[in-house]
PDB file of all heavy atoms in Angstrom:
ATOM      1  N   ALA Y 388      -5.372 219.411  13.857  1.00 94.00           N
ATOM      2  CA  ALA Y 388      -5.988 220.686  13.467  1.00 94.00           C
ATOM      3  C   ALA Y 388      -5.128 221.397  12.432  1.00 94.00           C
ATOM      4  O   ALA Y 388      -5.618 221.977  11.441  1.00 94.00           O
ATOM      5  CB  ALA Y 388      -6.189 221.556  14.699  1.00 94.00           C
ATOM      6  N   ASN Y 389      -3.809 221.356  12.635  1.00 94.00           N
ATOM      7  CA  ASN Y 389      -2.919 222.034  11.711  1.00 94.00           C
ATOM      8  C   ASN Y 389      -2.864 221.366  10.350  1.00 94.00           C
ATOM      9  O   ASN Y 389      -2.623 222.030   9.317  1.00 94.00           O
ATOM     10  CB  ASN Y 389      -1.489 222.101  12.288  1.00 94.00           C
ATOM     11  CG  ASN Y 389      -0.607 223.119  11.587  1.00 94.00           C
ATOM     12  OD1 ASN Y 389      -0.978 224.283  11.455  1.00 94.00           O
ATOM     13  ND2 ASN Y 389       0.530 222.665  11.133  1.00 94.00           N
ATOM     14  N   SER Y 390      -3.120 220.054  10.310  1.00 94.00           N
ATOM     15  CA  SER Y 390      -3.156 219.348   9.028  1.00 94.00           C
ATOM     16  C   SER Y 390      -4.415 219.690   8.219  1.00 94.00           C
ATOM     17  O   SER Y 390      -4.419 219.605   6.989  1.00 94.00           O
ATOM     18  CB  SER Y 390      -3.087 217.838   9.252  1.00 94.00           C
ATOM     19  OG  SER Y 390      -4.263 217.363   9.867  1.00 94.00           O
ATOM     20  N   ILE Y 391      -5.490 220.101   8.930  1.00 94.00           N
ATOM     21  CA  ILE Y 391      -6.727 220.494   8.270  1.00 94.00           C
ATOM     22  C   ILE Y 391      -6.651 221.937   7.776  1.00 94.00           C
ATOM     23  O   ILE Y 391      -6.913 222.222   6.607  1.00 94.00           O
ATOM     24  CB  ILE Y 391      -7.926 220.326   9.209  1.00 94.00           C
ATOM     25  CG1 ILE Y 391      -8.088 218.856   9.642  1.00 94.00           C
ATOM     26  CG2 ILE Y 391      -9.217 220.789   8.537  1.00 94.00           C
ATOM     27  CD1 ILE Y 391      -9.082 218.640  10.728  1.00 94.00           C
ATOM     28  N   GLU Y 392      -6.259 222.842   8.676  1.00 94.00           N
ATOM     29  CA  GLU Y 392      -6.125 224.265   8.339  1.00 94.00           C
ATOM     30  C   GLU Y 392      -4.799 224.747   8.932  1.00 94.00           C
ATOM     31  O   GLU Y 392      -4.733 225.068  10.118  1.00 94.00           O
ATOM     32  CB  GLU Y 392      -7.297 225.095   8.866  1.00 94.00           C
ATOM     33  CG  GLU Y 392      -8.612 224.861   8.184  1.00 94.00           C
ATOM     34  CD  GLU Y 392      -8.649 225.407   6.765  1.00 94.00           C
ATOM     35  OE1 GLU Y 392      -7.738 226.196   6.406  1.00 94.00           O
ATOM     36  OE2 GLU Y 392      -9.570 225.071   6.024  1.00 94.00           O
ATOM     37  N   PRO Y 393      -3.728 224.811   8.127  1.00 93.00           N
ATOM     38  CA  PRO Y 393      -2.410 225.179   8.683  1.00 93.00           C
ATOM     39  C   PRO Y 393      -2.337 226.625   9.117  1.00 93.00           C
ATOM     40  O   PRO Y 393      -2.986 227.516   8.559  1.00 93.00           O
ATOM     41  CB  PRO Y 393      -1.462 224.936   7.484  1.00 93.00           C
ATOM     42  CG  PRO Y 393      -2.229 224.125   6.516  1.00 93.00           C
ATOM     43  CD  PRO Y 393      -3.678 224.480   6.721  1.00 93.00           C
ATOM     44  N   ASN Y 394      -1.546 226.842  10.184  1.00 91.00           N
ATOM     45  CA  ASN Y 394      -1.148 228.203  10.605  1.00 91.00           C
ATOM     46  C   ASN Y 394      -2.315 229.119  10.909  1.00 91.00           C
ATOM     47  O   ASN Y 394      -2.353 230.282  10.499  1.00 91.00           O
ATOM     48  CB  ASN Y 394      -0.264 228.849   9.535  1.00 91.00           C
ATOM     49  CG  ASN Y 394       0.932 228.009   9.182  1.00 91.00           C
ATOM     50  OD1 ASN Y 394       1.584 227.429  10.051  1.00 91.00           O
ATOM     51  ND2 ASN Y 394       1.240 227.915   7.880  1.00 91.00           N
ATOM     52  N   ILE Y 395      -3.286 228.577  11.665  1.00 92.00           N
ATOM     53  CA  ILE Y 395      -4.417 229.430  12.102  1.00 92.00           C
ATOM     54  C   ILE Y 395      -4.071 229.997  13.467  1.00 92.00           C
ATOM     55  O   ILE Y 395      -3.607 229.260  14.367  1.00 92.00           O
ATOM     56  CB  ILE Y 395      -5.717 228.624  12.197  1.00 92.00           C
ATOM     57  CG1 ILE Y 395      -6.156 228.159  10.803  1.00 92.00           C
ATOM     58  CG2 ILE Y 395      -6.838 229.424  12.868  1.00 92.00           C
ATOM     59  CD1 ILE Y 395      -6.579 229.282   9.868  1.00 92.00           C
ATOM     60  N   ASP Y 396      -4.286 231.286  13.651  1.00 88.00           N
ATOM     61  CA  ASP Y 396      -4.040 231.955  14.933  1.00 88.00           C
ATOM     62  C   ASP Y 396      -5.308 231.847  15.775  1.00 88.00           C
ATOM     63  O   ASP Y 396      -6.205 232.687  15.680  1.00 88.00           O
ATOM     64  CB  ASP Y 396      -3.666 233.407  14.691  1.00 88.00           C
ATOM     65  CG  ASP Y 396      -3.357 234.157  15.981  1.00 88.00           C
ATOM     66  OD1 ASP Y 396      -3.109 233.490  17.025  1.00 88.00           O
ATOM     67  OD2 ASP Y 396      -3.418 235.402  15.978  1.00 88.00           O
ATOM     68  N   TYR Y 397      -5.393 230.809  16.621  1.00 90.00           N
ATOM     69  CA  TYR Y 397      -6.592 230.600  17.429  1.00 90.00           C
ATOM     70  C   TYR Y 397      -6.542 231.534  18.650  1.00 90.00           C
ATOM     71  O   TYR Y 397      -5.524 231.650  19.319  1.00 90.00           O
ATOM     72  CB  TYR Y 397      -6.681 229.157  17.910  1.00 90.00           C
ATOM     73  CG  TYR Y 397      -6.894 228.160  16.802  1.00 90.00           C
ATOM     74  CD1 TYR Y 397      -5.816 227.461  16.246  1.00 90.00           C
ATOM     75  CD2 TYR Y 397      -8.145 227.915  16.298  1.00 90.00           C
ATOM     76  CE1 TYR Y 397      -6.011 226.552  15.212  1.00 90.00           C
ATOM     77  CE2 TYR Y 397      -8.352 227.008  15.248  1.00 90.00           C
ATOM     78  CZ  TYR Y 397      -7.279 226.338  14.742  1.00 90.00           C
ATOM     79  OH  TYR Y 397      -7.464 225.455  13.707  1.00 90.00           O
ATOM     80  N   ALA Y 398      -7.673 232.172  18.893  1.00 86.00           N
ATOM     81  CA  ALA Y 398      -7.748 233.077  20.073  1.00 86.00           C
ATOM     82  C   ALA Y 398      -7.672 232.279  21.372  1.00 86.00           C
ATOM     83  O   ALA Y 398      -7.116 232.787  22.358  1.00 86.00           O
ATOM     84  CB  ALA Y 398      -9.053 233.895  20.033  1.00 86.00           C
ATOM     85  N   ARG Y 399      -8.217 231.066  21.363  1.00 87.00           N
ATOM     86  CA  ARG Y 399      -8.167 230.188  22.538  1.00 87.00           C
ATOM     87  C   ARG Y 399      -7.877 228.768  22.080  1.00 87.00           C
ATOM     88  O   ARG Y 399      -8.212 228.368  20.974  1.00 87.00           O
ATOM     89  CB  ARG Y 399      -9.505 230.240  23.278  1.00 87.00           C
ATOM     90  CG  ARG Y 399      -9.836 231.587  23.866  1.00 87.00           C
ATOM     91  CD  ARG Y 399     -11.092 231.550  24.682  1.00 87.00           C
ATOM     92  NE  ARG Y 399     -11.450 232.859  25.181  1.00 87.00           N
ATOM     93  CZ  ARG Y 399     -12.511 233.114  25.968  1.00 87.00           C
ATOM     94  NH1 ARG Y 399     -13.315 232.120  26.299  1.00 87.00           N
ATOM     95  NH2 ARG Y 399     -12.730 234.322  26.401  1.00 87.00           N
ATOM     96  N   GLU Y 400      -7.276 227.994  22.993  1.00 89.00           N
ATOM     97  CA  GLU Y 400      -6.934 226.611  22.692  1.00 89.00           C
ATOM     98  C   GLU Y 400      -8.157 225.808  22.342  1.00 89.00           C
ATOM     99  O   GLU Y 400      -8.132 224.935  21.473  1.00 89.00           O
ATOM    100  CB  GLU Y 400      -6.191 226.003  23.880  1.00 89.00           C
ATOM    101  CG  GLU Y 400      -5.565 224.649  23.606  1.00 89.00           C
ATOM    102  CD  GLU Y 400      -4.387 224.703  22.617  1.00 89.00           C
ATOM    103  OE1 GLU Y 400      -3.808 225.801  22.477  1.00 89.00           O
ATOM    104  OE2 GLU Y 400      -4.096 223.671  22.021  1.00 89.00           O
ATOM    105  N   THR Y 401      -9.244 226.062  23.064  1.00 91.00           N
ATOM    106  CA  THR Y 401     -10.485 225.298  22.855  1.00 91.00           C
ATOM    107  C   THR Y 401     -11.120 225.570  21.497  1.00 91.00           C
ATOM    108  O   THR Y 401     -11.996 224.798  21.044  1.00 91.00           O
ATOM    109  CB  THR Y 401     -11.508 225.626  23.948  1.00 91.00           C
ATOM    110  OG1 THR Y 401     -11.745 227.061  23.981  1.00 91.00           O
ATOM    111  CG2 THR Y 401     -11.013 225.188  25.306  1.00 91.00           C
ATOM    112  N   HIS Y 402     -10.682 226.621  20.803  1.00 93.00           N
ATOM    113  CA  HIS Y 402     -11.269 226.952  19.512  1.00 93.00           C
ATOM    114  C   HIS Y 402     -10.859 225.978  18.410  1.00 93.00           C
ATOM    115  O   HIS Y 402     -11.398 226.046  17.306  1.00 93.00           O
ATOM    116  CB  HIS Y 402     -10.908 228.373  19.114  1.00 93.00           C
ATOM    117  CG  HIS Y 402     -11.594 229.435  19.930  1.00 93.00           C
ATOM    118  ND1 HIS Y 402     -11.365 230.785  19.775  1.00 93.00           N
ATOM    119  CD2 HIS Y 402     -12.529 229.309  20.905  1.00 93.00           C
ATOM    120  CE1 HIS Y 402     -12.115 231.434  20.635  1.00 93.00           C
ATOM    121  NE2 HIS Y 402     -12.817 230.578  21.315  1.00 93.00           N
ATOM    122  N   LYS Y 403      -9.894 225.117  18.693  1.00 94.00           N
ATOM    123  CA  LYS Y 403      -9.476 224.127  17.689  1.00 94.00           C
ATOM    124  C   LYS Y 403     -10.623 223.198  17.321  1.00 94.00           C
ATOM    125  O   LYS Y 403     -10.604 222.572  16.249  1.00 94.00           O
ATOM    126  CB  LYS Y 403      -8.289 223.348  18.188  1.00 94.00           C
ATOM    127  CG  LYS Y 403      -6.961 224.127  18.180  1.00 94.00           C
ATOM    128  CD  LYS Y 403      -5.796 223.224  18.552  1.00 94.00           C
ATOM    129  CE  LYS Y 403      -4.471 223.944  18.386  1.00 94.00           C
ATOM    130  NZ  LYS Y 403      -4.294 225.025  19.369  1.00 94.00           N
ATOM    131  N   LYS Y 404     -11.618 223.100  18.200  1.00 95.00           N
ATOM    132  CA  LYS Y 404     -12.761 222.225  17.899  1.00 95.00           C
ATOM    133  C   LYS Y 404     -13.479 222.681  16.628  1.00 95.00           C
ATOM    134  O   LYS Y 404     -14.075 221.863  15.894  1.00 95.00           O
ATOM    135  CB  LYS Y 404     -13.746 222.220  19.073  1.00 95.00           C
ATOM    136  CG  LYS Y 404     -14.408 223.558  19.341  1.00 95.00           C
ATOM    137  CD  LYS Y 404     -15.329 223.504  20.554  1.00 95.00           C
ATOM    138  CE  LYS Y 404     -15.973 224.849  20.804  1.00 95.00           C
ATOM    139  NZ  LYS Y 404     -16.840 224.818  22.028  1.00 95.00           N
ATOM    140  N   PHE Y 405     -13.433 223.968  16.309  1.00 96.00           N
ATOM    141  CA  PHE Y 405     -14.138 224.503  15.168  1.00 96.00           C
ATOM    142  C   PHE Y 405     -13.546 224.005  13.860  1.00 96.00           C
ATOM    143  O   PHE Y 405     -14.261 223.847  12.842  1.00 96.00           O
ATOM    144  CB  PHE Y 405     -14.189 226.000  15.185  1.00 96.00           C
ATOM    145  CG  PHE Y 405     -14.910 226.580  16.378  1.00 96.00           C
ATOM    146  CD1 PHE Y 405     -14.287 227.424  17.264  1.00 96.00           C
ATOM    147  CD2 PHE Y 405     -16.227 226.239  16.613  1.00 96.00           C
ATOM    148  CE1 PHE Y 405     -14.957 227.924  18.360  1.00 96.00           C
ATOM    149  CE2 PHE Y 405     -16.923 226.745  17.701  1.00 96.00           C
ATOM    150  CZ  PHE Y 405     -16.284 227.603  18.576  1.00 96.00           C
ATOM    151  N   VAL Y 406     -12.214 223.729  13.830  1.00 96.00           N
ATOM    152  CA  VAL Y 406     -11.619 223.255  12.592  1.00 96.00           C
ATOM    153  C   VAL Y 406     -12.068 221.820  12.302  1.00 96.00           C
ATOM    154  O   VAL Y 406     -12.198 221.433  11.145  1.00 96.00           O
ATOM    155  CB  VAL Y 406     -10.080 223.380  12.656  1.00 96.00           C
ATOM    156  CG1 VAL Y 406      -9.460 222.251  13.470  1.00 96.00           C
ATOM    157  CG2 VAL Y 406      -9.469 223.372  11.245  1.00 96.00           C
ATOM    158  N   PHE Y 407     -12.354 221.027  13.341  1.00 97.00           N
ATOM    159  CA  PHE Y 407     -12.870 219.696  13.147  1.00 97.00           C
ATOM    160  C   PHE Y 407     -14.315 219.740  12.652  1.00 97.00           C
ATOM    161  O   PHE Y 407     -14.747 218.937  11.820  1.00 97.00           O
ATOM    162  CB  PHE Y 407     -12.747 218.863  14.416  1.00 97.00           C
ATOM    163  CG  PHE Y 407     -11.311 218.636  14.838  1.00 97.00           C
ATOM    164  CD1 PHE Y 407     -10.748 219.324  15.866  1.00 97.00           C
ATOM    165  CD2 PHE Y 407     -10.537 217.708  14.149  1.00 97.00           C
ATOM    166  CE1 PHE Y 407      -9.420 219.147  16.249  1.00 97.00           C
ATOM    167  CE2 PHE Y 407      -9.200 217.500  14.497  1.00 97.00           C
ATOM    168  CZ  PHE Y 407      -8.651 218.224  15.550  1.00 97.00           C
ATOM    169  N   GLU Y 408     -15.094 220.719  13.182  1.00 97.00           N
ATOM    170  CA  GLU Y 408     -16.448 220.885  12.667  1.00 97.00           C
ATOM    171  C   GLU Y 408     -16.416 221.283  11.190  1.00 97.00           C
ATOM    172  O   GLU Y 408     -17.245 220.805  10.399  1.00 97.00           O
ATOM    173  CB  GLU Y 408     -17.167 221.970  13.498  1.00 97.00           C
ATOM    174  CG  GLU Y 408     -17.448 221.567  14.931  1.00 97.00           C
ATOM    175  CD  GLU Y 408     -18.140 222.672  15.728  1.00 97.00           C
ATOM    176  OE1 GLU Y 408     -18.714 223.569  15.077  1.00 97.00           O
ATOM    177  OE2 GLU Y 408     -18.102 222.644  16.982  1.00 97.00           O
ATOM    178  N   SER Y 409     -15.458 222.137  10.841  1.00 97.00           N
ATOM    179  CA  SER Y 409     -15.281 222.553   9.444  1.00 97.00           C
ATOM    180  C   SER Y 409     -14.973 221.354   8.562  1.00 97.00           C
ATOM    181  O   SER Y 409     -15.560 221.181   7.467  1.00 97.00           O
ATOM    182  CB  SER Y 409     -14.186 223.605   9.330  1.00 97.00           C
ATOM    183  OG  SER Y 409     -13.875 223.894   7.994  1.00 97.00           O
ATOM    184  N   TYR Y 410     -14.055 220.496   9.018  1.00 97.00           N
ATOM    185  CA  TYR Y 410     -13.644 219.323   8.269  1.00 97.00           C
ATOM    186  C   TYR Y 410     -14.829 218.389   8.046  1.00 97.00           C
ATOM    187  O   TYR Y 410     -15.058 217.880   6.934  1.00 97.00           O
ATOM    188  CB  TYR Y 410     -12.545 218.576   9.048  1.00 97.00           C
ATOM    189  CG  TYR Y 410     -12.200 217.203   8.537  1.00 97.00           C
ATOM    190  CD1 TYR Y 410     -11.368 217.042   7.436  1.00 97.00           C
ATOM    191  CD2 TYR Y 410     -12.697 216.075   9.157  1.00 97.00           C
ATOM    192  CE1 TYR Y 410     -11.031 215.768   6.956  1.00 97.00           C
ATOM    193  CE2 TYR Y 410     -12.372 214.797   8.695  1.00 97.00           C
ATOM    194  CZ  TYR Y 410     -11.537 214.649   7.604  1.00 97.00           C
ATOM    195  OH  TYR Y 410     -11.254 213.412   7.144  1.00 97.00           O
ATOM    196  N   ILE Y 411     -15.627 218.175   9.096  1.00 97.00           N
ATOM    197  CA  ILE Y 411     -16.780 217.266   8.991  1.00 97.00           C
ATOM    198  C   ILE Y 411     -17.840 217.834   8.046  1.00 97.00           C
ATOM    199  O   ILE Y 411     -18.366 217.130   7.183  1.00 97.00           O
ATOM    200  CB  ILE Y 411     -17.404 217.020  10.371  1.00 97.00           C
ATOM    201  CG1 ILE Y 411     -16.397 216.260  11.276  1.00 97.00           C
ATOM    202  CG2 ILE Y 411     -18.700 216.231  10.268  1.00 97.00           C
ATOM    203  CD1 ILE Y 411     -16.804 216.256  12.747  1.00 97.00           C
ATOM    204  N   SER Y 412     -18.161 219.128   8.177  1.00 97.00           N
ATOM    205  CA  SER Y 412     -19.215 219.720   7.326  1.00 97.00           C
ATOM    206  C   SER Y 412     -18.829 219.687   5.862  1.00 97.00           C
ATOM    207  O   SER Y 412     -19.647 219.450   4.987  1.00 97.00           O
ATOM    208  CB  SER Y 412     -19.527 221.158   7.770  1.00 97.00           C
ATOM    209  OG  SER Y 412     -18.447 222.018   7.477  1.00 97.00           O
ATOM    210  N   LYS Y 413     -17.544 219.914   5.553  1.00 96.00           N
ATOM    211  CA  LYS Y 413     -17.100 219.878   4.159  1.00 96.00           C
ATOM    212  C   LYS Y 413     -17.239 218.501   3.579  1.00 96.00           C
ATOM    213  O   LYS Y 413     -17.656 218.320   2.426  1.00 96.00           O
ATOM    214  CB  LYS Y 413     -15.650 220.355   4.044  1.00 96.00           C
ATOM    215  CG  LYS Y 413     -15.490 221.863   4.198  1.00 96.00           C
ATOM    216  CD  LYS Y 413     -14.030 222.264   4.063  1.00 96.00           C
ATOM    217  CE  LYS Y 413     -13.892 223.785   4.208  1.00 96.00           C
ATOM    218  NZ  LYS Y 413     -12.475 224.210   4.148  1.00 96.00           N
ATOM    219  N   ARG Y 414     -16.909 217.453   4.367  1.00 95.00           N
ATOM    220  CA  ARG Y 414     -17.044 216.097   3.871  1.00 95.00           C
ATOM    221  C   ARG Y 414     -18.531 215.705   3.696  1.00 95.00           C
ATOM    222  O   ARG Y 414     -18.905 215.117   2.697  1.00 95.00           O
ATOM    223  CB  ARG Y 414     -16.392 215.107   4.853  1.00 95.00           C
ATOM    224  CG  ARG Y 414     -14.867 215.208   4.961  1.00 95.00           C
ATOM    225  CD  ARG Y 414     -14.192 214.874   3.613  1.00 95.00           C
ATOM    226  NE  ARG Y 414     -12.740 214.911   3.716  1.00 95.00           N
ATOM    227  CZ  ARG Y 414     -11.985 215.988   3.638  1.00 95.00           C
ATOM    228  NH1 ARG Y 414     -12.565 217.161   3.462  1.00 95.00           N
ATOM    229  NH2 ARG Y 414     -10.683 215.902   3.701  1.00 95.00           N
ATOM    230  N   MET Y 415     -19.326 216.078   4.659  1.00 96.00           N
ATOM    231  CA  MET Y 415     -20.757 215.681   4.626  1.00 96.00           C
ATOM    232  C   MET Y 415     -21.517 216.430   3.525  1.00 96.00           C
ATOM    233  O   MET Y 415     -22.483 215.900   2.978  1.00 96.00           O
ATOM    234  CB  MET Y 415     -21.392 215.931   5.982  1.00 96.00           C
ATOM    235  CG  MET Y 415     -20.806 215.142   7.121  1.00 96.00           C
ATOM    236  SD  MET Y 415     -20.816 213.347   6.871  1.00 96.00           S
ATOM    237  CE  MET Y 415     -22.579 213.002   6.901  1.00 96.00           C
ATOM    238  N   LEU Y 416     -21.107 217.673   3.226  1.00 95.00           N
ATOM    239  CA  LEU Y 416     -21.854 218.475   2.245  1.00 95.00           C
ATOM    240  C   LEU Y 416     -21.146 218.532   0.886  1.00 95.00           C
ATOM    241  O   LEU Y 416     -21.500 219.347   0.048  1.00 95.00           O
ATOM    242  CB  LEU Y 416     -22.056 219.880   2.776  1.00 95.00           C
ATOM    243  CG  LEU Y 416     -22.945 219.991   4.046  1.00 95.00           C
ATOM    244  CD1 LEU Y 416     -22.995 221.416   4.550  1.00 95.00           C
ATOM    245  CD2 LEU Y 416     -24.348 219.464   3.782  1.00 95.00           C
ATOM    246  N   ASN Y 417     -20.171 217.656   0.694  1.00 94.00           N
ATOM    247  CA  ASN Y 417     -19.478 217.595  -0.587  1.00 94.00           C
ATOM    248  C   ASN Y 417     -20.467 217.266  -1.706  1.00 94.00           C
ATOM    249  O   ASN Y 417     -21.380 216.455  -1.514  1.00 94.00           O
ATOM    250  CB  ASN Y 417     -18.368 216.534  -0.506  1.00 94.00           C
ATOM    251  CG  ASN Y 417     -17.498 216.540  -1.746  1.00 94.00           C
ATOM    252  OD1 ASN Y 417     -17.271 217.584  -2.345  1.00 94.00           O
ATOM    253  ND2 ASN Y 417     -17.014 215.369  -2.121  1.00 94.00           N
ATOM    254  N   ASN Y 418     -20.308 217.876  -2.843  1.00 92.00           N
ATOM    255  CA  ASN Y 418     -21.210 217.693  -4.007  1.00 92.00           C
ATOM    256  C   ASN Y 418     -22.635 218.119  -3.700  1.00 92.00           C
ATOM    257  O   ASN Y 418     -23.605 217.545  -4.227  1.00 92.00           O
ATOM    258  CB  ASN Y 418     -21.212 216.228  -4.468  1.00 92.00           C
ATOM    259  CG  ASN Y 418     -19.986 215.865  -5.276  1.00 92.00           C
ATOM    260  OD1 ASN Y 418     -19.520 216.634  -6.107  1.00 92.00           O
ATOM    261  ND2 ASN Y 418     -19.438 214.685  -5.020  1.00 92.00           N
TER     262      ASN Y 418
END
Side-chain angles (χ1 to χ4, degrees):
N389 196 53
S390 68
I391 298 170
E392 290 290 347
N394 305 319
I395 294 293
D396 181 19
Y397 295 97
R399 297 184 182 181
E400 190 68 21
T401 55
H402 289 177
K403 286 186 174 69
K404 65 183 179 182
F405 298 121
V406 78
F407 295 104
E408 292 180 19
S409 173
Y410 170 79
I411 295 167
S412 71
K413 285 181 180 178
R414 292 296 183 278
M415 298 304 293
L416 297 176
N417 187 34
N418 282 320

